[in-house]
Amino acid sequence: MARATLHNRQDSLEQALQIFWQKGFHATSLKDLEQAMDMRPGSIYATFGSKDALFQEALDYYARMAIAELERTLSKYPSSPLQGLAAYLRLLGSLRDQALPSNACMLVKSLLELGVKEESALCKVESMLAKIESRFTTSFIESQRIGELGHQLNPVLLAQRLQAEVMGLRSFAQRKVDSSVVHEVAEAMASSLDAMRIDNVG
């Protein structure tokens, strides 16, 4: 595939992601996709196969961006996984300061929307959320290994709780609340992680 074609396909995928993220799978019509992607129906199907296939590719793209953002944040705190996770929560506190299609997580929106007719896409969403949760677990395990987090705590349960908090924070940010309130909630969540750190860790 020519480089220009690859570039155009990527641009089209990004536009599709924006409309799916904003409206959801069911509410996004073919006409919406045509307008957002500046493509005719035949070109959309020829390039991506179907609306469902396009949606799943958009999910993949979204998940890659989300995980990359998480990894970038964690990488800034190589000696303190807990601080890295707290920093990630604080980053999410700025959701309402950004020009996003939706403040709610696209994966969570899809999890709540998709049904048995979209089983393949739903399984993909579950797998992506599990991957993020697993990354949280790894951070908590590493935190215990270096003596930053007490060994009496369950890293799997902590990761599950953190994911629930992240999902809740992003849903909360979708409400008509002031940005400062989202920042405050995120800060409170981050502070609870900071409080877990064992004091004698350098």
Side-chain angles (χ1 to χ4, degrees):
M1 190 180 293
R3 181 171 298 179
T5 303
L6 282 170
H7 177 71
N8 292 338
R9 190 181 193 282
Q10 182 72 11
D11 285 346
S12 298
L13 179 60
E14 290 177 358
Q15 294 305 316
L17 168 63
Q18 297 295 308
I19 195 71
F20 278 133
W21 188 359
Q22 177 186 6
K23 302 186 70 171
F25 176 75
H26 291 297
T28 299
S29 67
L30 182 57
K31 180 62 68 175
D32 292 328
L33 292 170
E34 288 177 48
Q35 294 175 349
M37 302 166 72
D38 193 22
M39 295 175 70
R40 295 181 180 274
S43 298
I44 294 175
Y45 287 120
T47 304
F48 296 99
S50 66
K51 177 185 173 182
D52 181 68
L54 173 57
F55 178 68
Q56 291 198 44
E57 194 165 337
L59 282 174
D60 283 327
Y61 186 55
Y62 176 89
R64 287 197 301 270
M65 290 194 302
I67 292 172
E69 180 179 64
L70 172 61
E71 292 293 352
R72 279 196 301 271
T73 304
L74 295 178
S75 68
K76 297 176 182 178
Y77 301 85
S79 62
S80 177
L82 279 183
Q83 284 188 322
L85 292 173
Y88 179 64
L89 287 173
R90 292 185 173 101
L91 178 65
L92 294 179
S94 65
L95 281 168
R96 291 189 63 86
D97 303 329
Q98 305 172 49
L100 299 173
S102 171
N103 292 317
C105 172
M106 183 178 175
L107 297 179
V108 175
K109 289 181 70 172
S110 300
L111 179 69
L112 298 175
E113 176 191 15
L114 300 178
V116 292
K117 291 183 179 179
E118 301 84 32
E119 183 177 359
S120 178
L122 186 57
C123 287
K124 184 181 288 289
V125 169
E126 289 279 9
S127 175
M128 292 168 175
L129 288 171
K131 185 174 182 179
I132 295 172
E133 183 183 306
S134 177
R135 186 62 184 88
F136 291 160
T137 302
T138 300
S139 291
F140 284 119
I141 291 174
E142 177 62 15
S143 185
Q144 286 182 327
R145 187 191 67 79
I146 65 175
E148 181 184 42
L149 181 69
H151 286 275
Q152 77 279 9
L153 299 174
N154 184 336
V156 174
L157 182 58
L158 289 174
Q160 291 170 338
R161 190 183 80 173
L162 178 57
Q163 185 170 63
E165 289 177 341
V166 169
M167 292 166 71
L169 178 63
R170 298 204 61 152
S171 298
F172 180 77
Q174 188 71 5
R175 294 181 56 202
K176 293 181 179 180
V177 296
D178 191 80
S179 173
S180 63
V181 176
V182 181
H183 278 284
E184 288 173 1
V185 173
E187 178 59 37
M189 292 163 59
S191 295
S192 70
L193 285 179
D194 289 334
M196 292 182 186
R197 297 184 72 230
I198 295 175
D199 292 339
N200 62 4
V201 174

